[in-house]
Amino acid sequence: MTSCMGFSYTVAAVIMLSSTLIFFGIVYTSYVQSNENIANANQKLVKSIYDLENTHVSITGYYYNSSSSLFIVNLTNNGSQVFNMSMANVLINGTMVKFNVSGPYLFPLQAVSISFKEPAGTYSLEIVMPDGYEIFREVVS
């Protein structure tokens, strides 16, 4: 009986030790993965802050073409970021509208024109650049 009892204690100890090692292996893997996710998120945050701090796009003027019902808005990039204008958004009174742009990219120290079709009136214009930078202006035709 004693030899069987000693064997069962040994088997129980081996099972407990194995279970503990497996448990800590799973916990450690999860810990490493979560730290990696946090580090990646921090890198993206730093890049986003850098992009926003180096963005300065301004509306240099606008006019309304009554024959075509088009608002034409001129933008100038005085910052150091390059923007893919197909990823920008134009909102009129809080509603996204389709727009055309004179060039696919807005490079530093470059100007582009955005045009959108709206009837004559007074509108709140918001242009949201791909990095989240927003430009607000009230436009009147």
Side-chain angles (χ1 to χ4, degrees), residues 41-72:
N42 281 335
Q43 287 176 347
K44 287 180 183 178
L45 175 65
V46 168
K47 184 183 180 330
S48 294
I49 290 170
Y50 175 83
D51 289 349
L52 281 174
E53 287 179 351
N54 290 294
T55 299
H56 185 71
V57 177
S58 58
I59 295 174
T60 55
Y62 71 91
Y63 63 93
Y64 181 72
N65 185 337
S66 57
S67 63
S68 63
S69 298
L70 283 177
F71 273 96
I72 289 88

Side-chain angles (χ1 to χ4, degrees), residues 5-141:
M5 238 174 157
F7 178 72
S8 63
Y9 283 128
T10 305
V11 169
V14 168
I15 290 172
M16 292 297 290
L17 180 61
S18 299
S19 299
T20 303
L21 289 174
I22 292 170
F23 171 76
F24 282 116
I26 292 170
V27 168
Y28 179 75
T29 303
S30 298
Y31 174 76
V32 168
Q33 182 66 35
S34 64
N35 275 348
E36 188 175 315
N37 289 344
I38 290 171
N40 290 340
N42 281 335
Q43 287 176 347
K44 287 180 183 178
L45 175 65
V46 168
K47 184 183 180 330
S48 294
I49 290 170
Y50 175 83
D51 289 349
L52 281 174
E53 287 179 351
N54 290 294
T55 299
H56 185 71
V57 177
S58 58
I59 295 174
T60 55
Y62 71 91
Y63 63 93
Y64 181 72
N65 185 337
S66 57
S67 63
S68 63
S69 298
L70 283 177
F71 273 96
I72 289 88
V73 179
N74 300 315
L75 301 175
T76 301
N77 184 357
N78 293 317
S80 61
Q81 299 296 87
V82 176
F83 298 105
N84 180 347
M85 293 305 293
S86 67
M87 296 176 67
N89 292 307
V90 175
L91 291 89
I92 301 295
N93 295 335
T95 304
M96 282 193 352
V97 296
K98 291 184 180 184
F99 66 96
N100 293 318
V101 65
S102 62
Y105 295 97
L106 180 56
F107 293 99
L109 303 176
Q110 183 186 15
V112 295
S113 296
I114 289 179
S115 59
F116 52 91
K117 193 170 188 104
E118 288 292 323
T122 301
Y123 299 99
S124 294
L125 169 67
E126 179 181 359
I127 300 172
V128 182
M129 302 309 288
D131 67 355
Y133 185 81
E134 299 171 316
I135 309 157
F136 297 96
R137 173 74 64 91
E138 182 177 70
V139 293
V140 181
S141 59

